[in-house]
Amino acid sequence: MGLRRVRAVELMCGGAVSLLALSGPAFAQTGGDQAELSEIIVTAQKRSENLQDVPISIQALSQEKIERLNAKDFVDVARHLPSVSIRSIVPGVGNIFMRGISSGPDGGASGSLPSVGVYLDEQPVTTIQGTLDIQMFDIARVEALAGPQGTLYGASSQSGTLRIITNKPEPGVTRGRVDVETNATFKGGVGYSIAGMINVPIAERVTLRAVAWNRLDPGYIDNVQATRTYPVSRVTIDNSALAEKNFNDVEVSGARAALRVDLDDNWTITPGLMIQKTKAQGNTYQILGGADLEVERFFPDKRDDTYWQAAMTIQGKVGDLDVTYAGAYLNRKFDTQFDYSDYSFFYDTLFGMGQIIVNNAGVPIDPSQRTRSNSLYTRDSHELRVATPQDKRLRVSGGLFYQSQRHELQSQYIIQGLATAISVTGWPNTQWLTDQQRTDRDYAAFGEVSFDILPSLTLTAGGRAFKATSHLVGFAGLRGNERGCFAPTRYGAGPCTNVDRKAKGDGFSPRLNATWKVDDNKLLYVTYSEGFRPGGINRAATSAAYEPDYLKNYEAGWKTTWADGKLRVNGAVFDDRWDGFQMLVQTTANIAEVRNVGQARVRGVEGDFAAVLGGGFSITGAASYIDAKLLENYCGRIDANGDPITVCATPIAPAGARLPLSAKFKGSLSIRYDWSMGGGDMFVEATGAQQGSSWSSLRTRDRFFQGKSPGFETVDLSAGAIWDNWRLTAYARNLFDSRGELARLTSCPASVCSRIYQVPIRPRNVGVKVSRDF
């Protein structure tokens, strides 16, 4: 239910919180006396290293930085990394893109696999349904690796990898923490968050670390009273029973536990278990050109998202070799309801669709559609790798990887009272049914060799040989689609099976790198790397399969520290070529399918800095500039060889068109002041961020009707104090209540649906958090 609207601006505390300091440095300090920037340890190359020694464009947000940013989930973190774009339409779920490598909205049941890999510790948690909503509590750090990471991280790391590293059990230590927070959203409701952690030895060589949380993100979108009259049936619908203020509440609860078992001095086993349940009401968008933070929905919009993962990591030594096994099983269930009446109304208005929406007596009825979907996603992954000692001149690492992903989807498009003769057989009131199972399997062998030609010059060569298979089976369609079925039914509860197809592919993804350690504080590198995504199968029985796509990356970067450790400047320039890239399109039958479009080119520069200014002041910043363009016309047709046709009078997307869902410029600047007072450590931090404009689609027709999402700026403030084991933080996110826009969308093709929606960022949100360590 919605929560009572409050005037959040009146609840602001005197000090305030941070938006997001993108570079996330750590400082060696005592109170306000900051001596130098401290070392940041990362495991981006699957070994512990100083961030400044890693020849990859990488940003790391420490636990301290994540807490100062008041990031609640991974979507909060990812939105503000300079090379990362995120499209989050459904609460708690986001489609993530890096370096502008995006062809538009995706994530359908039979759509492309993600182009950005997401890992929780050693295990992949990337899903076709979108990123897992992982609670950002007791997280050691987040690492963002820009550019193809296919050698070490595989198929869904085509344009980058995002890694969430949890705090591990600490042997011999008993301690815990409790966080309690309340917050309020301007023109919205009141929320809260409660989280706790405990680390306790339970035997001589066994340690448990457990975390639990519950939070309510307050709603801020009003579902206002409205009516709608269909021109053919003349039926008028009224949403008075569903009208509600702040109807998009989200409640999240979950727990995470890890057990460290030290078998001896060389071998450690770390099993872990995580579970989370998200209950979301309403939606997060408003009508473009309509009243502020208002929408008109005629049927319930709800989502229950529950997932759990069991994982195990085994680490040890065999002689001089470091051996690691990482395995996991992920299970995720969705149950969603969605108002699809926009589709019904506009198709009725333009094409008289209501003439065929009748009951058993042949009388036109209310043609409003709503959807009900149940989805089960499972992933089983295993990796075994071996590495030689890292202090040798010649270093070798390699391993084997296997994963199996299964997605079972059952989705009904319901019209109440629909005639039996036009309902899917055995599914009353169902005009369209999807009841399919998709299975993707990946097999890979990978390796990397590094050799120090000189003490300051290292060459690295690596690669990943892979094989991928995909299988789609089940039913998708209208009553009329049953005529093309196989016999007998091969999967599910549909009337029959009209798709049972397989696809496979294999290849090799190389990486070459040269690193020059100029001195102890400066490193330069050049890299050539490739990333890939497997192909797949479209759900329509008559649609062709789509092929793998590949990304070639040429990159040069620098890692530098100056002024006796008080200034850090890192960055990279890159030139990428994206060949045969996959794009989700609407066919003439209004069925979404994936096609290989052609070629795109992406060029850019990204960087971050951190500096200790003295007198308790510090400053951090990060930015990226990305120029991502289509190199060839996309005409929507293929030739006899299956290659895209690029010469046509009116292309669907012309050469030179900017790739969607990514701003050319994105950056932030954060200034912080630390001091000591009354036996406590105090801080105040202010951050400003700017994001440029972006398109939501690659298609010219969609751009004409939808328009472009404009650029926007935000400012965040925070203030806090630490006394002994107590912490107090007050914050204000989006201080000036910007209506920054994350995306635009419609319920059907933009040329048909004249109602366009925009997804605003959360309005001004203020809060207070109290923490206690014990």
Side-chain angles (χ1 to χ4, degrees):
M1 296 293 293
L3 296 173
R4 181 175 300 173
R5 178 179 299 182
V6 298
R7 292 188 57 81
V9 66
E10 296 175 357
L11 302 179
M12 285 184 57
C13 301
V17 179
S18 71
L19 163 108
L20 186 55
L22 299 182
S23 51
F27 297 98
Q29 64 180 58
T30 302
D33 183 19
Q34 299 177 359
E36 61 182 14
L37 296 165
S38 62
E39 185 178 83
I40 299 176
I41 301 299
V42 298
T43 53
Q45 299 189 112
K46 301 198 173 182
R47 58 180 180 266
S48 296
E49 299 173 285
N50 184 345
L51 173 68
Q52 295 303 101
D53 295 330
V54 180
I56 296 175
S57 181
I58 175 175
Q59 290 184 313
L61 302 181
S62 66
Q63 178 176 357
E64 179 187 9
K65 177 56 65 176
I66 293 170
E67 291 178 356
R68 292 206 308 248
L69 302 175
N70 295 281
K72 304 299 188 299
D73 55 27
F74 188 51
V75 174
D76 281 348
V77 172
R79 256 184 205 144
H80 300 284
L81 295 167
S83 296
V84 176
S85 302
I86 187 161
R87 185 178 190 267
S88 182
I89 306 300
V90 178
V93 177
N95 299 118
I96 297 174
F97 311 95
M98 296 186 75
R99 283 188 171 176
I101 302 299
S102 166
S103 57
D106 208 340
S110 57
S112 301
L113 291 171
S115 63
V116 175
V118 181
Y119 276 68
L120 180 66
D121 294 321
E122 293 285 346
Q123 290 79 21
V125 293
T126 314
T127 82
I128 195 170
Q129 299 160 307
T131 305
L132 293 183
D133 176 25
I134 295 174
Q135 179 80 7
M136 290 289 111
F137 177 72
D138 200 40
I139 299 297
R141 65 186 179 277
V142 173
E143 300 175 4
L145 289 62
Q149 307 296 326
T151 299
L152 292 180
Y153 294 99
S156 285
S157 292
Q158 182 185 50
S159 60
T161 301
L162 292 163
R163 306 182 68 231
I164 305 168
I165 311 299
T166 63
N167 284 312
K168 305 301 186 293
E170 301 173 75
V173 176
T174 299
R175 69 184 188 89
R177 175 177 173 178
V178 175
D179 284 6
V180 178
E181 175 186 336
T182 183
N183 63 81
T185 297
F186 181 69
K187 292 187 176 180
V190 176
Y192 67 84
S193 176
I194 302 172
M197 178 278 293
I198 187 167
N199 186 97
V200 57
I202 58 177
E204 182 179 355
R205 288 180 173 268
V206 182
T207 307
L208 172 69
R209 192 180 189 102
V211 181
W213 58 87
N214 177 254
R215 82 171 195 263
L216 176 69
D217 296 335
Y220 51 89
I221 300 291
D222 296 341
N223 188 27
V224 297
Q225 193 277 330
T227 60
R228 171 176 281 173
T229 300
Y230 289 92
V232 174
S233 65
R234 305 309 301 168
V235 171
T236 297
I237 58 176
D238 189 318
N239 73 344
S240 297
L242 296 175
E244 182 181 359
K245 290 183 177 297
N246 312 324
F247 85 136
N248 60 318
D249 301 343
V250 180
E251 184 175 8
V252 182
S253 57
R256 186 176 68 240
L259 197 67
R260 172 172 174 153
V261 182
D262 295 317
L263 301 179
D264 55 31
D265 292 339
N266 291 324
W267 287 90
T268 299
I269 300 177
T270 310
L273 181 65
M274 176 178 63
I275 184 170
Q276 180 169 291
K277 182 176 182 63
T278 300
K279 295 180 69 68
Q281 308 287 335
N283 56 55
T284 58
Y285 42 84
Q286 63 185 27
I287 301 171
L288 180 65
D292 187 35
L293 303 177
E294 290 186 357
V295 73
E296 298 170 3
R297 306 295 284 175
F298 294 87
F299 292 91
D301 293 311
K302 298 180 180 180
R303 181 177 66 88
D304 289 347
D305 177 6
T306 302
Y307 69 81
W308 63 270
Q309 176 174 276
M312 177 177 289
T313 302
I314 302 174
Q315 296 173 301
K317 297 185 73 69
V318 177
D320 286 339
L321 300 178
D322 294 319
V323 180
T324 302
Y325 164 79
Y329 176 79
L330 173 65
N331 182 293
R332 187 181 194 184
K333 293 181 180 180
F334 270 100
D335 185 358
T336 64
Q337 298 180 50
F338 182 75
D339 178 4
Y340 209 52
S341 60
D342 278 3
Y343 176 97
S344 307
F345 178 77
F346 290 110
Y347 268 81
D348 189 39
T349 300
L350 294 178
F351 308 121
M353 183 177 170
Q355 297 178 29
I356 63 173
I357 306 302
V358 297
N359 59 20
N360 285 329
V363 178
I365 59 173
D366 177 2
S368 300
Q369 290 190 47
R370 57 186 174 89
T371 68
R372 174 68 185 269
S373 300
N374 296 289
S375 176
L376 172 63
Y377 173 89
T378 61
R379 174 198 287 268
D380 186 18
S381 65
H382 305 271
E383 179 175 292
L384 177 66
R385 65 178 183 270
V386 178
T388 62
Q390 296 304 303
D391 57 356
K392 303 298 184 181
R393 186 179 183 187
L394 176 66
R395 300 173 295 281
V396 181
S397 63
L400 302 172
F401 177 80
Y402 165 78
Q403 74 174 5
S404 175
Q405 305 176 71
R406 178 167 293 178
H407 186 199
E408 299 176 4
L409 174 66
Q410 188 178 93
S411 184
Q412 298 172 254
Y413 291 71
I414 300 169
I415 301 176
Q416 199 63 39
L418 186 65
T420 303
I422 53 177
S423 296
V424 174
T425 301
W427 291 80
N429 305 314
T430 301
Q431 186 186 35
W432 176 284
L433 174 69
T434 298
D435 188 22
Q436 294 181 332
Q437 175 181 275
R438 171 178 175 171
T439 303
D440 295 277
R441 290 189 172 92
D442 299 272
Y443 310 81
F446 59 91
E448 193 169 79
V449 178
S450 296
F451 181 68
D452 297 332
I453 297 179
L454 300 171
S456 61
L457 181 62
T458 301
L459 297 183
T460 299
R464 188 181 190 98
F466 63 89
K467 178 181 179 180
T469 66
S470 182
H471 180 205
L472 184 67
V473 59
F475 175 84
L478 306 162
R479 177 70 174 248
N481 296 112
E482 298 174 24
R483 292 191 294 268
C485 280
F486 312 118
T489 298
R490 302 177 184 178
Y491 170 78
C496 53
T497 297
N498 64 356
V499 60
D500 187 358
R501 302 166 62 192
K502 296 180 180 180
K504 62 181 180 179
D506 56 58
F508 181 76
S509 178
R511 179 178 181 268
L512 301 172
N513 173 271
T515 302
W516 178 30
K517 190 78 172 178
V518 180
D519 56 38
D520 289 341
N521 296 314
K522 300 177 185 65
L523 176 150
L524 303 175
Y525 71 88
V526 292
T527 297
Y528 170 78
S529 58
E530 293 185 10
F532 68 95
R533 277 190 304 180
I537 304 162
N538 286 300
R539 65 178 178 173
T542 57
S543 298
Y546 53 94
E547 299 297 321
D549 59 5
Y550 298 89
L551 182 70
K552 297 180 180 180
N553 171 60
Y554 302 86
E555 179 177 329
W558 57 93
K559 303 285 182 76
T560 63
T561 305
W562 308 81
D564 296 324
K566 295 184 178 182
L567 173 65
R568 178 187 298 142
V569 181
N570 298 337
V573 295
F574 54 89
D575 187 341
D576 293 348
R577 181 67 62 89
W578 197 11
D579 293 328
F581 69 87
Q582 301 162 8
M583 186 173 82
L584 189 71
V585 301
Q586 294 283 342
T587 67
T588 54
N590 196 35
I591 298 175
E593 65 177 43
V594 178
R595 294 179 180 173
N596 295 89
V597 172
Q599 292 188 338
R601 185 262 299 152
V602 181
R603 292 173 178 164
V605 57
E606 58 200 10
D608 62 82
F609 77 94
V612 175
L613 303 179
F617 287 95
S618 59
I619 185 171
T620 61
S624 68
Y625 178 84
I626 297 172
D627 182 24
K629 293 181 178 179
L630 191 62
L631 289 181
E632 303 172 329
N633 290 336
Y634 172 54
C635 299
R637 303 191 304 275
I638 58 176
D639 60 22
N641 298 319
D643 297 322
I645 293 174
T646 59
V647 179
C648 53
T650 308
I652 293 174
R658 225 172 97 192
L659 297 186
L661 302 181
S662 181
K664 277 192 173 182
F665 177 81
K666 188 178 183 182
S668 79
L669 185 68
S670 179
I671 300 176
R672 180 181 172 91
Y673 175 59
D674 293 88
W675 76 100
S676 296
M677 183 178 68
D681 295 328
M682 316 290 177
F683 78 89
V684 175
E685 187 166 349
T687 301
Q690 200 273 340
Q691 176 173 314
S693 62
S694 63
W695 297 101
S696 290
S697 173
L698 183 61
R699 297 158 61 100
T700 301
R701 184 174 61 179
D702 290 347
R703 293 184 175 188
F704 175 80
F705 287 102
Q706 290 183 349
K708 181 190 290 188
S709 295
F712 62 91
E713 297 78 33
T714 57
V715 174
D716 288 19
L717 295 173
S718 67
I722 303 175
W723 294 280
D724 297 324
N725 295 324
W726 290 91
R727 306 180 189 192
L728 175 65
T729 304
Y731 63 86
R733 296 190 293 181
N734 191 10
L735 178 64
F736 296 112
D737 199 32
S738 166
R739 282 298 175 271
E741 184 181 306
L742 298 176
R744 293 187 179 184
L745 69 149
T746 64
S747 293
C748 53
S751 58
V752 176
C753 283
S754 60
R755 174 164 288 182
I756 310 298
Y757 297 100
Q758 56 187 160
V759 183
I761 62 174
R762 180 175 287 273
R764 181 190 301 117
N765 178 255
V766 299
V768 177
K769 179 170 70 175
V770 178
S771 303
R772 167 70 172 170
D773 295 320
F774 59 88

